[in-house]
Amino acid sequence: MIYYKTAEEIELIRQSSQLVGKTLGVVASMLKPGITGEEIDKVAEEFIRDNGGIPGFKGLYDFPSTLCISKNSCVVHGIPEKKEFADGDIVSVDCGVFMNGFYGDCAYTFPIGDVSEDVMNLLRITEDSLYLGIEQARVGKRLGDISSAIQTYAEKQNKYGIVRKLVGHGVGRELHEDPEVPNFGKRGRGVKLKEGLVIAIEPMVNMGTKDVKQSQDGWGILTADGKASAHYEHTVAVGKGQADILSTHEYVVEAIKNNVNIKEVSSKYQIFANQI
Ligand code: MG
Ligand code: MG
């Protein structure tokens, strides 16, 4: 069942989502070769709690940490590790916050140090596909319009693999609400988009095969072929005429400018997204 939100509830989801964005900004300022996922997770948890939020993932389904940190061939749901990040790694950081009764959910994939141009292209195309999906999150469109925009760009035009087993979702009093928001599908199909619908749009795009497997720790989802995977996510309210992006990557972009260890990803649709 889909819970449509009031304007007041959407503002609360925006506050939670903005705190996620700020937390990702803190993460972006810390990332470098030699730092560990565990160290970053600890700082992220403190930052969220200091700002009046509760880590949204920790304890949910028994997940052990504040952040999902998914490196290289790990698509999503990686547990922060003691192992140090190395030059050339790509690191997806997914974060949730629960505050004032509502969740926010947002993710960004960071290239650490000298990442190959092939992999940088995967990051750019995945981020682009997120904004192309968001552009469809308008009253009168259907869910399949979002799914199709992402799939067409990432898979049909750029020949990457779109993960099928994991999808975006409604966001509200629960982190994962109806409807499911697949990153593949047909235009003009699915639920009609109405005001009050709040969804997390989160393309997961693989360099090679779309197929995934479970890691041995029971949490991480890995690409079946061991090739790289990228993941970008925003929490978005369906709007009249235009989508309303409730979360933000602006703190990430600012932090990256001041962090010599992280390259800018620079989606070509980012400018357009800021105008949404
Ligand atoms: Mg997320
Ligand atoms: Mg999500």
Side-chain angles (χ1 to χ4, degrees), residues 26-155:
V26 172
V27 167
S29 68
M30 293 178 72
L31 279 169
K32 60 181 180 182
I35 200 163
T36 72
E38 272 196 357
E39 288 173 80
I40 287 165
D41 188 70
K42 189 167 173 288
V43 172
E45 175 167 1
E46 282 171 9
F47 183 80
I48 291 168
R49 293 190 190 280
D50 285 350
N51 284 279
I54 296 168
F57 299 166
K58 198 169 188 174
L60 190 69
Y61 319 118
D62 291 327
F63 191 75
S65 56
T66 293
L67 304 174
C68 293
I69 299 187
S70 309
K71 190 175 79 174
N72 298 334
S73 67
C74 187
V75 181
V76 286
H77 301 169
I79 295 173
E81 294 178 331
K82 282 194 171 69
K83 202 174 168 211
E84 294 178 357
F85 296 127
D87 189 81
D89 282 342
I90 59 166
V91 179
S92 150
V93 180
D94 193 349
C95 181
V97 159
F98 183 72
M99 193 166 63
N100 300 318
F102 288 89
Y103 283 92
D105 191 7
C106 184
Y108 195 93
T109 302
F110 299 91
I112 297 187
D114 194 15
V115 168
S116 71
E117 193 43 41
D118 270 10
V119 175
M120 286 303 295
N121 194 56
L122 172 72
L123 302 186
R124 280 191 289 266
I125 299 297
T126 307
E127 194 187 22
D128 284 346
S129 74
L130 167 63
Y131 290 110
L132 289 169
I134 289 171
E135 204 264 335
Q136 299 294 314
R138 293 181 267 141
V139 173
K141 295 274 184 180
R142 286 182 183 267
L143 208 53
D145 296 328
I146 297 174
S147 306
S148 168
I150 294 169
Q151 185 182 18
T152 299
Y153 188 67
E155 199 166 74

Side-chain angles (χ1 to χ4, degrees), residues 194-239:
K194 296 198 294 192
E195 262 190 298
L197 182 63
V198 178
I199 49 177
I201 302 177
E202 49 178 317
M204 290 155 258
V205 180
N206 297 347
M207 185 77 102
T209 178
K210 65 184 188 310
D211 296 333
V212 294
K213 62 184 181 185
Q214 185 88 54
S215 85
Q216 282 183 341
D217 66 18
W219 281 109
I221 303 293
L222 310 172
T223 59
D225 60 8
K227 292 185 180 171
S229 181
H231 175 220
Y232 292 85
E233 177 180 30
H234 274 309
T235 297
V236 174
V238 167

